[in-house]
Amino acid sequence: MRLCICLVLLSLAMCAAADIRDRGRFVWDAIGGARDMYRAYRDMREANFKNSDKYFHARGNYDAAQRGPGGAWAAKVISDAREHWQGRVSGRGAEDTRADQEANAWGRNGGDPNRYRPPGLPSKY
């Protein structure tokens, strides 16, 4: 919930110069993009499938970016925050963070997330 509130406030700040309709669309897309990112994270945890991490990164970013500029912005903010935390706190390392960011950018720029889909991942995902 805090994340959604932060996204709404940041979204409003980002589009202060735009007209009210464009601002509303940006905020709505950002909220939807945050939901897309959460859904990909939830699916990743549920699947618990070896080597599927990059696929879910790409899929979450792809789905969010398809909503428009607000969704792409939310995906970038969430991805960068997660990778910053992961790189500093969890100790997973720079190489893993770099690979995650590559998958994030691939999806956010419209690339097919299936590029990262591991063999055998259930079709549900």
Side-chain angles (χ1 to χ4, degrees), residues 3 37 40-41 44-45 53-54 56-57 61 74-92 96-97 99-101 104:
L3 178 61
M37 295 292 287
Y41 173 76
M44 179 179 70
R45 302 286 295 192
D53 178 46
K54 306 305 179 261
F56 288 106
H57 278 267
N61 277 271
K76 180 157 179 44
V77 168
I78 292 167
S79 295
D80 289 350
R82 182 182 186 281
E83 295 309 322
H84 179 74
W85 175 84
Q86 181 177 309
R88 296 193 127 196
V89 176
S90 76
R92 284 197 153 168
D96 188 58
T97 295
D100 285 350
Q101 287 289 44
N104 293 336

Side-chain angles (χ1 to χ4, degrees), residues 25 28-37 39 61-72:
R25 186 74 211 167
W28 187 252
D29 290 347
I31 292 168
R35 282 194 313 260
D36 292 332
M37 295 292 287
R39 185 173 37 260
N61 277 271
Y62 177 85
D63 291 346
Q66 294 304 298
R67 293 180 178 276

Side-chain angles (χ1 to χ4, degrees), residues 2 6-7 9-10 12 18 22 32 35 43 47 50 63 65 75 88 90 96 104 107-110 112 114:
R2 288 182 188 161
C6 289
L7 283 172
L9 293 175
L10 287 170
L12 289 172
D22 289 340
R35 282 194 313 260
D43 287 349
K50 189 173 184 164
D63 291 346
R88 296 193 127 196
S90 76
D96 188 58
N104 293 336
R108 203 167 39 249
N109 291 322
D112 183 2
N114 288 314

